[in-house]
Amino acid sequence: IDLTSPMKQACFQLHYHILTPGIDVLPEADARLIEAAKAATQTSYAPYSNFCVGAAVLLENGETVCGSNQENAAYPAGTCAERTAIHYANAQFPGVRPLAIAVAARKASENGFLEQPISPCGVCRQVMIETQARFGKNLRVLLYGEKAIFELETASVLLPFQFDSASL
């Protein structure tokens, strides 16, 4: 880096895998986790957006904890599926490290899931980063779509300029 220049340019390279959905491309544990996330969309409360999101967290002790989005007429009072699942996992199994989280989405008015994976919102990304920091290890992320699955080895890929305890 040229420190004498008043303007510097940098870029991120984000590494992730794009998988074609199918039982043979994923390890069995990942396939089960994605199926749990898909099933969790059935418990969404989404009367305003009709956008049902499910998340499933695989814990180090082998437990899987699911969550779904829960909307509210006052939109900021709603909660995303990812945060629901992560916070519920932390509440039910304090001190047990989450290994991976899977996320799936569907429109309530249509059959099937979205063709392409959805990406977590910024708040959910921050919660994933905090979860990684809390346990000192990466949180794998699986984002499901009917035509593609994105596999990220770390939630850091989702939030390259992260705010963590080092920022305080």
Side-chain angles (χ1 to χ4, degrees):
I1 296 176
D2 177 10
L3 298 177
T4 60
S5 172
M7 184 187 315
K8 294 149 193 69
Q9 182 174 346
C11 68
F12 286 109
Q13 278 193 310
L14 306 175
H15 297 277
Y16 61 99
H17 298 106
I18 302 172
L19 308 168
T20 302
I23 195 71
D24 56 340
V25 266
L26 290 172
E28 187 178 332
D30 287 352
R32 281 195 314 267
L33 193 62
I34 287 172
E35 289 304 317
K38 290 166 64 177
T41 66
Q42 296 300 320
T43 64
S44 291
Y45 177 69
Y48 307 105
S49 70
N50 291 310
F51 194 71
C52 303
V53 182
V57 176
L58 175 63
L59 300 176
E60 198 166 44
N61 65 1
E63 294 285 339
T64 298
V65 177
C66 296
S68 58
N69 58 319
Q70 303 296 312
E71 293 182 351
N72 191 290
Y75 286 146
T79 306
C80 299
E82 299 91 331
R83 284 181 284 145
T84 300
I86 289 171
H87 291 154
Y88 185 60
N90 287 334
Q92 293 302 304
F93 301 97
V96 179
R97 179 172 83 96
L99 301 174
I101 183 169
V103 181
R106 63 180 178 77
K107 292 182 181 176
S109 59
E110 298 175 14
N111 291 329
F113 289 83
L114 300 181
E115 287 187 0
Q116 296 299 317
I118 62 161
S119 186
C121 77
V123 176
C124 290
R125 292 173 189 215
Q126 184 63 43
V127 168
M128 290 178 191
I129 294 302
E130 184 70 22
T131 300
Q132 284 188 164
R134 178 180 178 181
F135 292 96
K137 299 210 175 167
N138 288 341
L139 175 66
R140 285 182 59 244
V141 180
L142 298 166
L143 304 174
Y144 175 80
E146 289 278 338
K147 293 192 175 184
I149 298 170
F150 295 168
E151 177 189 33
L152 297 74
E153 292 300 320
T154 173
S156 297
V157 172
L158 292 168
L159 194 61
F161 281 112
Q162 20 192 293
F163 184 85
D164 59 20
S165 61
S167 304
L168 299 174

